[in-house]
Amino acid sequence: MNTRFAVATHILTFLHTQDGRPATSELVASSVSTNPTLIRRLLSELAKAGLTTSQMGAGGGALLARPGNRITLLDVHRALDAEGTIFPLHQEPNPQCPVGRHINGVLLRRLSDVEKAMEAELARTTIADMAQDVANANRPG
């Protein structure tokens, strides 16, 4: 696992808080504390998945492609993980070994339920929910 999911969720939540105003990659990068190039790369992947769009020209930038209450964390996960595998398996265990011969099948059976539970939880949370949680965290007291 890496931080791409967390950064993409940050990007989308930030765009949601912009209330329809386009955000430059530099502005988003300042919120994420990263390089605008990374933001542009992730925005490209999110756009391919139909989660963001771009407004060109002066005053342009990134926008959500649909309302934040219609983008789930599962959408974000799927946008970044084309293979759809949360737990990738070792590709070439030794078939001569009694463990190596069966480990992937055993792992797949165990991890399948974990992946389904995680996807169900991700599907319950929207970008609008994330923005509301951030707003609540910023309230004093």
Side-chain angles (χ1 to χ4, degrees), residues 17-41:
T17 67
Q18 295 300 293
D19 297 321
R21 293 182 311 272
T24 64
S25 56
E26 290 78 11
L27 179 61
V28 177
S30 72
S31 176
V32 178
S33 287
T34 193
N35 187 306
T37 303
L38 172 67
I39 299 301
R40 286 190 288 274
R41 197 174 312 128

Side-chain angles (χ1 to χ4, degrees), residues 36-49:
T37 303
L38 172 67
I39 299 301
R40 286 190 288 274
R41 197 174 312 128
L42 283 170
L43 282 169
S44 175
E45 290 182 62
L46 295 169
K48 286 178 191 169

